Amino acid sequence: MTKNVTIEKGQQFPLTIKRLGINGEGVGYFKKQVVFVPGALPGEEVVVEATKIHPKYAEGKIKRIRNKSPHRVKAPCVHFGECGGCQLQHLSYEQQLKEKRDIVIQALERHTKLKMEELDIRETIGMEDPWHYRNKSSFQLQGKKGEVIAGLYGLDSHRLVPIESCMVQHPLTDKVTQIVKQVLSDFNIPIYHERKRTGLVRTIVVRAGIQTGHVQVVLITAKKELPRKELIAEEIIKRAPEVTSVMQNVNGQKTSLIFGDETLPIKGEQAIQETLGDLSFELSARAFFQLNPTQTVKLYDEVKKAAQLTGNEKIVDAYCGVGTIGLWLAKDAKEIRGMDVIEESIQNANENAKKHGIQNATYVTGKAEQLMPKWVKEGWKPDVVVVDPPRTGCDEKFLKTIKKVKPKRFVYVSCNPSTLAKDIQYLSDQYKVEYIQPVDMFPHTAHVECCALLVKKL
């Protein structure tokens, strides 16, 4: 049975925007069909032109705003709407925080059978200054008439938008990216051409230790051979003395992933230092670290509150990365055990624990779903499991393990409300949602992070 599609491409129609979608676009209904409109805000009445028709929904663009939202503001960035990095600069910051809470509610309504009126979903924790917060940038490169262009691919396109400075990036990352770009140009280094698969340097990744002022540059290359690389690194450091580490990462694959498997040191240290609260971390080129250190402290304090530590708890820090969450909790817990599949991260985590004199934290390479049952068999059962998984959420095998191991509290840090909601639903026969605390880690984008506390039902 085919569904009658009532909207045709190119058709114009009035639309009232009901809410924000998960990607920050306006969502409205025309003849019972859902329509997504980038740039439209809740409460607005707009005239829309249909641009794409899908079996279950349509996409449209604003032709005219008939009735403007009182929360609409002028986006301060010249690249807004073009580079696709931010989706919400045209919405006042106070209202962004309200809409992000609503995005969490929508995900729970869509993916769980929980009674919404019984859930404690708290107000979103925002930033005092919601600009220049990102400590890491990855700018793609293109060679044009002997000039090197660095930027981001435009919305839904393969056109590179050149970016000289970005309002959500820390100024250090902006400054160093421009210097590296210039050095590559001065040395006539061939820039990778994606279609022809020729040239060498694909991407400049710059990470700044915001508290320490240390900067790491990673040149992502299509091949291992990079001519005069020591000279290039020396020149970068000469022009940007903040740079303490220059690395090369080799990625010859035809892929949208930035990093390849092989990382080689060129000059300086192999890691940079960053501090969170009174902890300092060694960050190697591929190690995952939160992109907004200011809000990370607030997020991890929420994790600590949710864990309700008395000093006697055994904690598992799953998907632990460089050990940030576990080390944040260590002094209030009896023992921390963490795991991750990335070997480099585990090395960093153990070094970080050792450096801080934290003796009750151990990190091992492997999967939680294999390690936790083994530990329980050996007589070590966690009271609290903390997890901070990737956007895809928790592996089903991991969630099954949680049901088997039955920790009293399960603290779930999520960067994707949809997968959080699906995982909560999966656990809902055994775990009750005590509360969900949204935290704004990425102002002006549609992303929302949450700290959810799930408690074992008696």
Side-chain angles (χ1 to χ4, degrees):
M1 205 174 87
T2 56
K3 188 179 173 192
N4 294 329
V5 176
T6 51
I7 302 173
E8 288 173 12
K9 192 176 172 176
Q11 183 181 344
Q12 293 192 13
F13 48 88
L15 196 69
T16 301
I17 304 300
K18 298 290 187 198
R19 52 188 167 80
L20 276 189
I22 200 119
N23 300 312
E25 67 289 75
V27 181
Y29 296 87
F30 182 68
K31 298 192 174 170
K32 293 188 178 163
Q33 186 146 0
V34 67
V35 185
F36 295 107
V37 189
L41 296 173
E44 291 190 328
E45 289 169 25
V46 291
V47 176
V48 168
E49 182 184 313
T51 52
K52 285 183 188 166
I53 310 297
H54 305 266
K56 290 187 172 166
Y57 64 94
E59 293 176 52
K61 64 177 182 193
I62 300 174
K63 292 302 281 181
R64 200 167 73 251
I65 300 176
R66 281 184 175 170
N67 196 349
K68 207 163 78 165
S69 162
H71 306 294
R72 180 177 278 276
V73 295
K74 185 177 172 357
C77 176
V78 291
H79 304 294
F80 179 68
E82 198 187 5
C83 88
C86 298
Q87 301 83 40
L88 299 176
Q89 282 195 20
H90 61 313
L91 180 61
S92 75
Y93 188 56
E94 291 69 38
Q95 196 59 26
Q96 285 182 34
L97 298 177
K98 289 181 180 149
E99 296 299 345
K100 289 189 182 197
R101 178 176 180 267
D102 188 60
I103 285 172
V104 176
I105 292 169
Q106 286 176 52
L108 291 159
E109 284 172 344
R110 195 173 309 126
H111 301 295
T112 74
K113 297 185 176 74
L114 302 174
K115 293 192 176 79
M116 295 310 293
E117 65 280 1
E118 290 173 13
L119 283 181
D120 177 7
I121 299 160
R122 301 180 172 178
E123 299 298 322
T124 310
I125 295 171
M127 285 191 86
E128 289 75 32
D129 174 12
W131 300 101
H132 303 296
Y133 56 81
R134 283 182 68 105
N135 61 5
K136 184 180 176 185
S137 62
S138 308
F139 280 179
Q140 310 303 324
L141 300 182
Q142 230 171 49
K144 231 180 196 172
K145 296 174 186 156
E147 192 194 348
V148 179
I149 292 166
L152 296 171
Y153 285 117
L155 275 171
D156 298 331
S157 85
H158 231 59
R159 188 177 63 80
L160 197 72
V161 178
I163 296 172
E164 296 284 325
S165 79
C166 167
M167 293 190 67
V168 294
Q169 279 295 148
H170 189 275
L172 259 181
T173 66
D174 268 346
K175 175 191 157 181
V176 172
T177 302
Q178 296 309 315
I179 286 170
V180 174
K181 187 181 86 170
Q182 194 53 54
V183 171
L184 293 174
S185 175
D186 293 349
F187 276 79
N188 289 323
I189 299 299
I191 300 304
Y192 184 72
H193 191 294
E194 204 170 17
R195 217 177 51 251
K196 297 180 187 165
R197 300 195 71 176
T198 57
L200 253 183
V201 186
R202 302 172 73 136
T203 311
I204 299 169
V205 177
V206 176
R207 172 146 57 186
I210 292 179
Q211 300 300 323
T212 59
H214 297 175
V215 178
Q216 181 176 62
V217 172
V218 186
L219 298 173
I220 313 277
T221 59
K223 295 191 205 75
K224 198 167 173 175
E225 293 68 41
L226 177 58
R228 299 186 295 167
K229 60 182 179 186
E230 285 83 8
L231 283 174
I232 291 168
E234 274 168 27
E235 192 56 34
I236 290 169
I237 292 167
K238 196 167 121 192
R239 296 187 200 181
E242 306 91 335
V243 175
T244 56
S245 166
V246 182
M247 307 287 284
Q248 177 190 1
N249 175 273
V250 186
N251 184 358
Q253 304 295 314
K254 197 170 165 47
T255 171
S256 60
L257 293 173
I258 290 173
F259 282 96
D261 291 332
E262 191 177 15
T263 306
L264 309 156
I266 304 178
K267 197 159 183 59
E269 305 291 327
Q270 295 203 22
I272 60 166
Q273 299 277 333
E274 179 57 307
T275 61
L276 281 182
D278 39 13
L279 296 176
S280 68
F281 294 93
E282 298 272 319
L283 305 178
S284 57
R286 284 179 64 209
F288 170 77
F289 193 71
Q290 296 282 6
L291 292 165
N292 182 341
T294 309
Q295 291 299 87
T296 300
V297 169
K298 295 181 191 175
L299 178 69
Y300 289 176
D301 279 343
E302 288 303 321
V303 172
K304 191 180 273 190
K305 268 185 221 166
Q308 298 166 22
L309 303 177
T310 61
N312 298 317
E313 289 78 12
K314 299 200 268 292
I315 299 178
V316 165
D317 178 8
Y319 300 83
C320 68
V322 297
T324 38
I325 293 181
L327 299 177
W328 199 259
L329 305 176
K331 69 171 186 290
D332 299 310
K334 187 176 179 182
E335 189 185 348
I336 309 270
R337 291 187 183 184
M339 71 286 280
D340 202 295
V341 290
I342 296 175
E343 181 98 31
E344 274 171 65
S345 293
I346 291 299
Q347 281 169 2
N348 283 160
N350 282 315
E351 281 159 22
N352 288 330
K354 194 174 163 189
K355 187 174 73 186
H356 291 97
I358 294 170
Q359 289 169 357
N360 62 341
T362 323
Y363 293 94
V364 287
T365 309
K367 291 186 170 176
E369 51 268 30
Q370 286 157 1
L371 290 165
M372 275 202 301
K374 179 172 158 274
W375 292 340
V376 171
K377 259 193 194 137
E378 291 164 1
W380 193 91
K381 181 180 181 311
D383 304 290
V384 182
V385 173
V386 180
V387 67
D388 184 2
R391 286 192 68 72
T392 44
C394 294
D395 194 298
E396 194 177 318
K397 288 185 192 133
F398 172 75
L399 294 174
K400 278 186 176 149
T401 307
I402 291 294
K403 286 185 174 187
K404 276 197 203 107
V405 172
K406 300 181 174 51
K408 294 198 268 289
R409 287 185 290 289
F410 181 47
V411 182
Y412 191 143
V413 178
S414 157
C415 58
N416 181 346
S418 298
T419 50
L420 170 68
K422 287 172 188 168
D423 292 350
I424 281 175
Q425 180 56 37
Y426 184 83
L427 292 170
S428 61
D429 57 335
Q430 286 192 20
Y431 282 86
K432 173 184 179 289
V433 178
E434 195 76 10
Y435 66 82
I436 297 175
Q437 174 62 68
V439 179
D440 188 21
M441 298 287 279
F442 299 102
H444 313 295
T445 76
H447 291 291
V448 55
E449 206 97 359
C450 291
C451 174
L453 171 59
L454 279 72
V455 176
K456 181 86 185 74
K457 290 178 179 174
L458 297 169

